[in-house]
Amino acid sequence: MLLEIQGVSTYYGQIQALKGVSLQVAQGEIVALVGANGAGKTTLLNTISGLLKARRGRILFDGQEITNRNPASIVQAGISHVPEHRQVFGTMTVHDNLLLGAYHRYRRVGRKQVEQDIQRVFEIFPRLAERRKQLAGTLSGGEQQMLAIGRGLMARPKLILMDEPSLGLAPLLVKDLFQIIASLRDSQQTVLLVEQNARGALKLADRAYVLETGRVVLSGPSQELLQDERVQAAYLGGKAVLAPGHAEDHPSHLPTRR
Ligand code: ATP
């Protein structure tokens, strides 16, 4: 396994946001993490990338333990985090935002390699190539999201964590974006994708985990989860199908949209 999370619990002070979460991501897989607002998806990504500390459990990556290492050393180990709400550097150009994504390996690999990697990002996102000299703050929301992912790819990560990339994008753009993420599979890029758009995420991922109030409640191949009645009822806008007596099997939090 490239990433192995074993029984991780994370707290905000007294509040326990993750309650013994375990999951795995194999090399080359796209794995989706779906769940309602507040389920703990962002908390899990932040715990993996070292922004939050796990109070219990272990995180193994590429054969080494990375639990509670500092964020810089986790980037060095090969994990890139594309946070929620994009967070590009608005007063810098598209090109320079991408350059920054390669910051930690610039001295090691040199300018030529980094420029080649920028070209690769431009091939994936032609819109960014057209706007390479434009200030990032003047891009549309969708373009900024592409830039944030492109910057994540500039680290040449073994694993890229994406937090709600579809948030706030128009439906047509969401479709494009999901297609681009799916195309990363062809280059063997491993992705852990957090999404409230469960249907879109399940369609594109190989496997998925459903998180509810800090716990994994379901997991499996995405195609199976798409067919699962509980998932359909709670996350895909289907009808509730379980008998009332089985309420404990039933996801208790309906997704809410922002
Ligand atoms: P969203 O899509 O809304 O970001 P999420 O699944 O990513 O949802 P988290 O943001 O990880 O959920 O939140 C998990 C739980 O931790 C929630 O109950 C939330 O209220 C709580 N939480 C998140 N951030 C903090 C914080 N800084 N301080 C206290 N509690 C927090």
Side-chain angles (χ1 to χ4, degrees):
M1 279 298 154
L2 183 62
L3 177 72
E4 171 123 25
I5 298 179
Q6 302 174 340
V8 161
S9 292
T10 302
Y11 290 72
Y12 296 99
Q14 299 294 309
I15 301 167
Q16 186 173 5
L18 295 181
K19 300 166 183 163
V21 170
S22 297
L23 66 77
Q24 291 104 32
V25 182
Q27 159 63 37
E29 265 191 322
I30 298 184
V31 173
L33 185 62
V34 300
N37 254 335
K41 307 179 297 298
T42 299
T43 302
L44 183 59
L45 292 195
N46 287 344
T47 307
I48 297 169
S49 60
L51 297 169
L52 290 170
K53 294 231 174 300
R55 200 176 289 180
R56 284 190 294 279
R58 301 202 316 153
I59 303 175
L60 308 172
F61 179 70
D62 202 20
Q64 41 180 330
E65 176 154 9
I66 59 162
T67 326
N68 297 341
R69 281 213 210 150
N70 68 51
S73 110
I74 290 173
V75 173
Q76 292 278 5
I79 299 181
S80 220
H81 187 174
V82 183
E84 211 173 354
H85 307 305
R86 338 212 212 277
Q87 302 178 8
V88 296
F89 296 96
T91 56
M92 293 172 65
T93 64
V94 166
H95 178 272
D96 289 352
N97 266 274
L98 292 176
L99 202 56
L100 260 188
Y103 170 77
H104 73 288
R105 59 191 194 96
Y106 190 88
R107 247 193 260 158
R108 184 160 38 89
V109 302
R111 174 146 201 135
K112 200 164 161 225
Q113 177 65 55
V114 170
E115 287 296 341
Q116 275 174 11
D117 290 346
I118 291 179
Q119 287 312 315
R120 172 174 160 255
V121 171
F122 285 159
E123 278 163 29
I124 300 171
F125 301 106
R127 286 292 284 253
L128 296 182
E130 291 166 21
R131 288 164 168 67
R132 70 183 78 200
K133 293 192 179 139
Q134 201 168 314
L135 296 183
T138 67
L139 298 177
S140 73
E143 290 160 355
Q144 288 189 17
Q145 185 60 63
M146 290 172 194
L147 180 56
I149 294 173
R151 192 180 58 200
L153 291 171
M154 285 299 296
R156 286 216 167 247
K158 293 179 187 140
L159 169 68
I160 187 161
L161 310 174
M162 294 188 195
D163 198 350
E164 302 261 9
S166 77
L167 198 68
L169 300 188
L172 216 61
L173 267 176
V174 171
K175 215 172 143 213
D176 285 355
L177 182 77
F178 281 173
Q179 260 168 16
I180 287 167
I181 297 171
S183 75
L184 293 176
R185 187 189 280 117
D186 302 338
S187 52
Q188 283 287 298
Q189 176 66 58
T190 312
V191 181
L192 178 57
L193 170 72
V194 156
E195 265 298 336
Q196 270 193 60
N197 180 343
R199 188 184 301 278
L202 289 175
K203 276 191 184 158
L204 93 88
D206 301 301
R207 288 189 307 114
Y209 292 81
V210 180
L211 203 63
E212 254 182 46
T213 53
R215 286 195 175 85
V216 172
V217 291
L218 277 173
S219 63
S222 302
Q223 288 309 317
E224 282 176 24
L225 290 184
L226 272 170
Q227 304 304 323
D228 188 289
E229 291 173 338
R230 292 163 293 182
V231 173
Q232 288 184 356
Y235 300 103
L236 303 175
K239 285 190 208 126
V241 285
L242 292 176
H246 292 87
E248 68 274 13
D249 290 332
H250 195 277
S252 52
H253 290 262
L254 289 171
T256 45
R257 295 255 154 244
R258 271 179 287 201

